[in-house]
Amino acid sequence: MAMTDFLFTSESVTEGHPDKVADQISDAILDAIIAQDTNARVACETMVTTGMAIIAGEITTSCYVHMPSIVRETIKEIGYNDSAMGFDWETCAVITSIDEQSSDIKQGVDEKKDHEQGAGDQGLMFGYACDETPELMPMPIIFAHRLTRRLAEVRKKKILEFLRPDGKSQVTIQYVNGKPARVDSVVIAAQHSESVSYKKLREGIIEEVIFKIIPERLRDKKTKYYVNTTGRFVVGGPKADCGLTGRKIIVDTYGGVGSHGGGCFSGKDPTKMDRSASYMARHIAKNVVAAGLAEKCEVQMAYTIGRAQPVSVMIDTSRTSKIPPDKIAKIINEHFDMRPKAIIKYLDLLKPVYKRASCYGHFGRNEPGFTWEKTHRAEELRKSSGL
């Protein structure tokens, strides 16, 4: 195979996957706080295991939220409503261990007369976009998310009533001359009730999930379908695996395409650059591709705690740019303010939109509140480029 011909795989997980349960709980708590107190500092971590949810972290806020109720409501919405699953919203224990934000961090992040709002930590963040799909996302991760979303839909609508909340998908795309050409394989792991036969499960998932999501034009006789390849997936969710906030960072972003700075999003208020700068980097990259300046664009931003300006900004177009990448970088620096307070204001990040983002990917979704997905700056970028 030439370098332009290859297979690439991305995965997604359902809202009932233990790590995603943890992400959703952390972001549900953040949403509840930010709805009342936009100046709150939230770093909320969650662990879920058999019959138990543990909330820990550093939260400084002027409001009160009843965390155990938020935890239980989130678990209920996901669908863990039977103690036979080893985890359910009514009987699980909820343990909290919350402290305040460190005063040392606070002095670097809070605005004072002598300095502007600084970054909440050091770190490097990436944003990515490409022209493979209308969402300007890599094709493998888009289909992987659609499959897990469909798994939840057919479970909740009782189209496949034998399904339970835990599950995963994986999609392998064959690229020819660097462009997505066909789906090579689809993997589904879906938790199910004890009574369903493997034959009924496999047929139901292929017909109601895979064929409803993967377009016929991308499927052929050689496309492979792997469904519950151990043959049984009854025990799942937090009973089968301990779930932690921030363990699905590749699922949350671009499915392994491009780079990742290592920081997760969930449970963090927007002063944490892991979240806000990653959203901004995606917004910039998406507008570059939407403007036609490049077929692919990756943006890296790096910060140090207490300082507002990024210590570096990098643009990589994988040799697909229509103008020199240096010129794109210059245009970006002229058009976008990458200081923390400016990002928060520009993307309107002090709103409770985070729980919705915590499942099925933070990017590639043109939904209300996902301001970082807007491409309204594309035309002015194109004009500035002289194209």
Side-chain angles (χ1 to χ4, degrees):
M1 270 193 181
M3 282 302 290
T4 55
D5 297 350
F6 57 90
L7 299 174
F8 195 91
T9 302
S10 294
E11 72 161 350
S12 179
V13 298
T14 65
E15 59 207 59
H17 185 283
D19 294 331
K20 270 287 151 240
V21 173
D23 284 342
Q24 288 166 95
I25 290 170
S26 291
D27 273 338
I29 289 169
L30 170 63
D31 275 359
I33 292 171
I34 221 166
Q36 298 180 58
D37 178 13
T38 56
N39 293 315
R41 298 285 182 263
V42 181
C44 179
E45 309 294 345
T46 303
M47 182 178 94
V48 290
T49 185
T50 307
M52 186 184 297
I54 300 169
I55 317 300
E58 299 77 45
I59 298 176
T60 302
T61 179
S62 60
C63 74
Y64 172 78
V65 298
H66 192 254
M67 291 188 193
S69 298
I70 295 165
V71 172
R72 292 186 194 282
E73 190 57 36
T74 304
I75 295 166
K76 182 182 179 182
E77 284 173 17
I78 291 166
Y80 285 109
N81 49 28
D82 184 350
S83 59
M85 295 186 202
F87 188 77
D88 78 287
W89 69 276
E90 285 184 293
T91 66
C92 74
V94 180
I95 298 166
T96 59
S97 177
I98 302 293
D99 221 322
E100 290 193 331
Q101 184 180 58
S102 153
S103 58
D104 294 348
I105 297 172
K106 188 177 187 294
Q107 69 175 6
V109 180
D110 287 355
E111 283 184 276
K112 295 185 180 70
K113 285 181 181 176
D114 57 340
H115 78 85
E116 59 187 321
Q117 183 174 326
D121 199 357
Q122 71 174 59
L124 48 139
M125 301 86 203
F126 289 90
Y128 183 82
C130 62
D131 63 1
E132 290 178 14
T133 61
E135 298 88 354
L136 303 185
M137 287 282 285
M139 187 179 282
I141 191 68
I142 284 290
F143 282 131
H145 285 321
R146 287 180 188 169
L147 287 166
T148 49
R149 200 184 267 258
R150 178 65 180 167
L151 273 175
E153 183 184 17
V154 296
R155 170 175 61 88
K156 290 178 175 179
K157 289 182 176 176
K158 300 194 185 314
I159 296 167
L160 300 178
E161 54 190 339
F162 49 77
L163 290 182
R164 285 180 172 174
D166 199 356
K168 284 183 168 185
S169 72
Q170 197 169 276
V171 177
T172 301
I173 300 287
Q174 181 178 356
Y175 286 75
V176 177
N177 295 325
K179 301 289 184 185
R182 57 181 288 274
V183 172
D184 185 72
S185 66
V186 178
V187 176
I188 298 284
Q191 188 190 11
H192 57 86
S193 64
E194 201 148 2
S195 57
V196 68
S197 70
Y198 178 71
K199 184 173 182 286
K200 183 180 178 183
L201 173 95
R202 179 181 161 83
E203 285 175 356
I205 284 175
I206 288 174
E207 289 298 325
E208 290 295 340
V209 180
I210 296 173
F211 286 179
K212 289 282 197 294
I213 295 300
I214 306 296
E216 204 172 342
R217 63 183 170 81
L218 292 172
R219 294 184 265 124
D220 57 34
K221 289 178 182 176
K222 291 184 178 179
T223 302
K224 300 172 282 292
Y225 306 109
Y226 301 105
V227 178
N228 285 19
T229 44
T230 65
R232 180 181 164 91
F233 186 5
V234 174
V235 181
K239 184 180 181 183
D241 291 293
C242 179
L244 294 171
T245 300
R247 273 209 306 210
K248 287 291 173 280
I249 58 175
I250 300 302
V251 171
D252 286 341
T253 52
Y254 309 101
V257 177
S259 308
H260 199 295
C264 83
F265 305 150
S266 290
K268 296 176 180 175
D269 75 79
T271 65
K272 278 72 172 173
M273 305 312 291
D274 282 334
R275 177 161 236 157
S276 51
S278 294
Y279 288 3
M280 188 64 173
R282 159 66 177 168
H283 178 69
I284 293 168
K286 190 175 183 183
N287 276 273
V288 167
V289 174
L293 305 191
E295 293 170 22
K296 300 176 183 177
C297 181
E298 183 169 76
V299 177
Q300 187 204 46
M301 292 146 73
Y303 294 84
T304 184
I305 191 165
R307 276 203 55 186
Q309 289 288 358
V311 296
S312 69
V313 178
M314 183 277 302
I315 307 297
D316 179 13
T317 62
S318 301
R319 299 179 181 176
T320 66
S321 59
K322 307 294 185 283
I323 61 172
D326 288 354
K327 188 175 180 183
I328 295 176
K330 185 171 181 288
I331 291 167
I332 284 169
N333 279 306
E334 286 169 0
H335 285 264
F336 295 99
D337 190 338
M338 289 169 259
R339 293 173 298 170
K341 189 177 181 183
I343 291 173
I344 291 167
K345 185 179 179 184
Y346 171 67
L347 293 178
D348 197 16
L349 295 178
L350 296 174
K351 288 188 175 172
V353 297
Y354 299 113
K355 184 174 166 235
R356 275 194 298 122
S358 65
C359 215
Y360 311 118
H362 292 249
F363 307 125
R365 294 164 62 178
N366 297 317
E367 299 174 24
F370 286 61
T371 51
W372 51 92
E373 290 297 312
K374 291 181 179 177
T375 53
H376 60 292
R377 304 293 296 279
E379 189 54 41
E380 67 184 85
L381 296 186
R382 190 174 174 82
K383 282 180 182 172
S384 292
S385 73
L387 283 177

